[in-house]
Amino acid sequence: MTTSALGRARRTALAGALCVGLVAGMTGLVGCGAEEDPDAGTNGVGKLSAAKIQRKAQNAAKSADSLRLTGSVVSKGATYKLDMKLTEDGGSGEVRLKNRTFELLRVDGQLYLKADADFWASQGDSSQGGRGQGKPDSADELAADKLDGKYVKVPEGDPAYKQLSGFTDKGLLLDGLLTLHGTLSAGERGTADGKRTVEVSGDKGAGGTLHVSLEGTAYPLRLERAGGAGTLLLTDWDKDFVFRKPDASHTVDYGKQLPTS
């Protein structure tokens, strides 16, 4: 055997020994030079078709008792920043629109809105067509001061009830958010909320992208809405959220309609 052939033989033997050692010492490594199975140790959802993955995620979300929804939603040109905890019976959290922030609480079928004086003053000003060049008058400010930091009970007959309660309605929100548009495709792997995920996209992302957990229950963990209409994280699935009515001393009931000035 020539010197070069002997060298090659030794290198081959050494590589073989290293491969055996790595296989013995590292869990989950199939073998040297072999590709790792991306579905090893997962819930198997990644092996399904795109339509089945989307359906499985939708069913898991529907069956869950609760979740936390954070991120942004663009609707009719307005960008809403959300941080909501939702259950089958109610919801609680914060909504931000531009520089205005308010809290929502829905419990036992009743909806409450909580905000500071600046928020209420701006509502009164906008309802009067922006009089005073964008500055609320004394009547607006007086009403706003009374509402500052209070839970205002939103009457069911008020036009604001339907719009605001939608932010606290788990079923309504998820039905609208978890539907992708266009031709579905799947397969890209990633992570969300510290878990491995498989992506399902509509029209290569133009119709939205859903990141579905490959660990445990196939919950949707991240949503990139169609047309760049916001990104949402869906976490804390099945956590024990408890919502209680605010104390009467911190609640204002305006009867049939919210104040506008």
Side-chain angles (χ1 to χ4, degrees), residues 7-260:
R8 285 195 298 272
R10 288 176 176 174
R11 287 194 295 272
T12 301
L14 179 59
L18 287 173
C19 183
V20 172
L22 285 171
V23 172
M26 297 179 65
T27 302
L29 184 61
V30 176
C32 293
E35 291 186 4
E36 186 176 354
D37 181 1
D39 293 302
T42 72
N43 54 22
V45 171
K47 298 179 180 180
L48 303 177
S49 67
K52 288 183 177 180
I53 295 174
Q54 179 185 228
R55 193 176 309 120
K56 201 168 186 68
Q58 290 172 331
N59 290 338
K62 184 177 181 179
S63 300
D65 291 330
S66 62
L67 78 150
R68 183 179 182 183
L69 190 70
T70 58
S72 62
V73 172
V74 180
S75 177
K76 297 180 180 179
T79 300
Y80 297 88
K81 300 288 186 179
L82 307 181
D83 187 350
M84 302 297 301
K85 293 178 180 178
L86 307 168
T87 68
E88 292 294 333
D89 302 318
S92 177
E94 183 177 278
V95 180
R96 182 176 180 84
L97 175 61
K98 296 182 179 179
N99 61 340
R100 300 171 185 174
T101 301
F102 55 91
E103 295 178 32
L104 292 173
L105 169 65
R106 184 170 62 87
V107 57
D108 294 336
Q110 296 180 346
L111 179 66
Y112 301 88
L113 171 63
K114 181 180 179 181
D116 61 18
D118 289 341
F119 173 88
W120 289 111
S122 68
Q123 298 305 298
D125 176 61
S126 62
S127 70
Q128 300 299 322
R131 64 169 180 259
Q133 295 182 346
K135 295 181 180 180
D137 65 13
S138 58
D140 294 331
E141 292 176 344
L142 182 60
D145 288 340
K146 292 180 179 180
L147 301 177
D148 184 24
K150 298 284 189 179
Y151 283 95
V152 177
K153 185 177 178 181
V154 182
E156 289 192 35
D158 190 281
Y161 184 92
K162 184 176 182 180
Q163 178 184 5
L164 294 175
S165 63
F167 288 114
T168 67
D169 191 320
K170 171 181 174 284
L172 183 63
L173 274 176
L174 294 183
D175 283 347
L177 291 173
L178 299 183
T179 299
L180 303 175
H181 305 282
T183 303
L184 299 181
S185 60
E188 292 294 325
R189 306 307 170 97
T191 59
D193 194 28
K195 299 179 178 64
R196 288 182 291 171
T197 61
V198 59
E199 297 179 13
V200 184
S201 297
D203 283 347
K204 299 180 179 180
T209 298
L210 198 60
H211 302 245
V212 180
S213 179
L214 286 172
E215 302 178 24
T217 304
Y219 290 124
L221 299 180
R222 178 182 170 93
L223 170 67
E224 295 157 20
R225 300 188 70 209
T231 298
L232 292 164
L233 298 179
L234 302 92
T235 60
D236 292 344
W237 289 97
D238 277 325
K239 295 290 184 180
D240 189 18
F241 299 139
V242 178
F243 308 129
R244 296 183 175 86
K245 288 184 179 181
D247 187 88
S249 63
H250 295 93
T251 305
V252 178
D253 188 343
Y254 269 88
K256 295 183 178 181
Q257 188 171 355
L258 289 179
T260 56

